[in-house]
Amino acid sequence: MSRFASLRADFTASLVVFLVALPLCVGVAVASGVPAELGLVTGIVGGLVTGLLPGSSLQVSGPAAGLTVLVYEAVQTYGLRALGALVLAAGLLQLAMGALRLGRWFRAISVAVVHGMLAGIGLVLMAGQVYALADAKAPSSGLAKLAGLPGLVGDTISSGRALTALAVGAGTIVLLVLWPRLPAAVRVVPGSLAAVALATAATAVFGLPVARVEVKGLLDAVQPPGGSEFAQLAHLGTIGTVLAFTLIASAESLFSAAAVDRLHDGPRTDYDKELMAQGAGNAVCGALGALPMTAVIVRSAANLQAGARTKASRVLHGAWLLVFVVLLPGALGMIPVATLAGVLVLAGWKLIPVKDLVPLWREHRGEAVVLAVTAGAIVVTNMFEGVLLGLLMAIVKTAWETSHVHLEIDEPDGEGLLCVRVLGNATFLRLPKLLDQLEALPRDRVIRLDLRRLRHLDHACELALLGWAERHNGEGVEPVRVEHRVVVAAPAAAPAASGPSQGHPL
């Protein structure tokens, strides 16, 4: 493809991505409890800063629904001005991890934990935005949001204003669901933009009494953090929030990069450079007091489907966002909050892997449990603690699945000798089963306990086996003979490094 043709394709794609990103940037900001302009600032930085840097050439960055719940919690706890310091610290941490070439290690995070994290975010996001659909204030915690839903229903039914807002938000959701089924000529306009534009026009024409987005102006909304905000970073709670920002933003960006790589045949993502690009973008967003950014699969997919060829498309989309916020800031104040809530309710639903849950339960039950526990913990506690619990569950599951151990029992000489071979990985997790099998052996037989084929024997298991042998020797007529284990697994006939194992009574 010629350079002119490539530029033309990127120009067209940038307009499409701009139209997709505009309502999402505003909606994520409003749902996060910050001025709408800050969402656009993050989108602009994602295009003009992160978009220019190497890493993944076709994925698009900006404010994401996946961080909405965490940002809202941080703003409610530490204040809006502290958000910049938190995001800046997270960006610098991402830069350091990229420089240390840790980007590729994010691919080692359990997929079940990531999906559980997104599902938990989706549940909390949907629960919160249901209140916004009726122009009501949502409770702060996830459990309180769920517990307050019956009361919300009663309040909405008894209020004409709330019913009007609900009609606007529900109409937005219906239009978004039906949009992919409309003729291709209509679907040239992104569904989220069409839904927001139609809802805004309807409320303006009919003078509907619904809440609209509050507009402060770009200069008033941008509040760089000061010394007192940076001083808060020394507190344990803020450190946890920074780590949560870093982990979630990095994981979501790099998983998005892997998904985008599967959608095109161009250059593959350099994960370390992409992590540094995300870090640079978040550092700039933090310095401006804006929302944190991640790579967003919805915008990235729209970029590819629109025919983007190079990173020019994502850079231009940031330029169009900047032009909009400079020339048409008043347009934001006409958008109903309920229609943005409708967009985000659907975005939250898409974060929950509904179609994958049943197959996952059938084929990988342990992964399904990790996913469910992570999602539930985020709803019950908060983002950081939920993700930590999910990671702990994934580690425990892996340890349990790898610590298989079983016994092979035979009588090699037919004269009463029992040869008991212990095979696999003997860890404390399997001790109850292992000891039950050993305790069931007859007390009046000569037993040779062969540990040479164990691939791993932890200290707890070793002490337990020796303790069983001592008890058996005290109660039985014949001593147990133990053949020393060889650390490296080898065929039965292979000698140990120091010579053949010699049996000895305990």
Side-chain angles (χ1 to χ4, degrees), residues 292-336:
M293 75 166 60
T294 73
V296 187
I297 189 62
V298 174
R299 278 163 250 182
S300 302
N303 189 38
L304 286 165
Q305 291 165 4
R309 294 291 181 271
T310 69
K311 66 176 63 177
S313 61
R314 62 184 190 176
V315 175
L316 285 172
H317 117 275
W320 304 141
L321 288 173
L322 178 60
V323 169
F324 176 86
V325 77
V326 171
L327 299 182
L328 298 171
L332 298 177
M334 300 175 64
I335 300 175

Side-chain angles (χ1 to χ4, degrees), residues 74-114:
V75 171
Q76 295 301 309
T77 304
Y78 306 111
L80 178 58
R81 291 188 65 90
L83 178 62
L86 297 171
V87 176
L88 176 57
L92 294 177
L93 191 55
Q94 285 180 305
L95 281 168
M97 291 191 301
L100 293 172
R101 302 183 64 81
L102 299 179
R104 67 193 69 184
W105 288 100
F106 275 86
R107 291 179 290 179
I109 296 177
S110 168
V111 175
V113 173
V114 175

Side-chain angles (χ1 to χ4, degrees), residues 8-21:
R8 182 175 60 184
D10 288 330
F11 180 84
T12 303
S14 71
L15 291 173
V16 172
V17 177
F18 159 68
L19 295 175
V20 172

Side-chain angles (χ1 to χ4, degrees), residues 367-444:
E367 293 288 293
V369 171
V370 171
L371 190 157
V373 169
T374 305
I378 289 173
V379 173
V380 173
T381 58
N382 56 51
M383 179 73 63
F384 185 60
E385 292 177 8
V387 171
L388 285 182
L389 181 59
L391 290 172
L392 179 61
M393 282 288 296
I395 293 171
V396 171
K397 180 190 77 72
T398 301
W400 177 261
E401 290 179 346
T402 56
S403 62
H404 287 297
V405 63
H406 67 278
L407 303 183
E408 287 185 356
I409 303 172
D410 59 20
E411 300 183 49
D413 56 7
E415 298 180 358
L417 173 66
L418 283 182
C419 180
V420 180
R421 283 183 290 272
V422 187
L423 306 123
N425 297 293
T427 70
F428 69 94
L429 294 173
R430 301 288 183 171
L431 258 181
K433 175 184 176 182
L434 182 59
L435 290 177
D436 285 345
Q437 291 178 304
L438 291 174
E439 295 288 353
L441 295 175
R443 303 288 184 179
D444 58 349

Side-chain angles (χ1 to χ4, degrees), residues 44-196:
I44 292 166
V45 173
L48 299 182
V49 177
T50 304
L52 283 171
L53 297 174
S56 176
S57 60
L58 294 177
Q59 76 170 351
V60 182
S61 300
L67 287 172
T68 301
V69 176
L70 185 58
V71 173
Y72 181 85
E73 292 175 355
V75 171
Q76 295 301 309
T77 304
Y78 306 111
L80 178 58
R81 291 188 65 90
L83 178 62
L86 297 171
V87 176
L88 176 57
L92 294 177
L93 191 55
Q94 285 180 305
L95 281 168
M97 291 191 301
L100 293 172
R101 302 183 64 81
L102 299 179
R104 67 193 69 184
W105 288 100
F106 275 86
R107 291 179 290 179
I109 296 177
S110 168
V111 175
V113 173
V114 175
H115 288 172
M117 174 190 74
L118 296 177
I121 292 168
L123 290 171
V124 177
L125 180 60
M126 290 173 65
Q129 292 309 301
V130 166
Y131 289 84
L133 284 174
D135 282 351
K137 181 175 177 58
S140 57
S141 70
L143 278 181
K145 289 182 175 72
L146 296 176
L149 291 178
L152 175 67
V153 173
D155 294 341
T156 302
I157 293 174
S158 62
S159 170
R161 184 184 179 95
L163 286 173
T164 302
L166 179 61
V168 172
T172 301
I173 295 174
V174 171
L175 184 59
L176 288 171
V177 172
L178 295 178
W179 196 259
R181 304 177 185 179
L182 297 179
V186 178
R187 287 186 282 109
V188 170
V189 180
S192 57
L193 180 67
V196 171

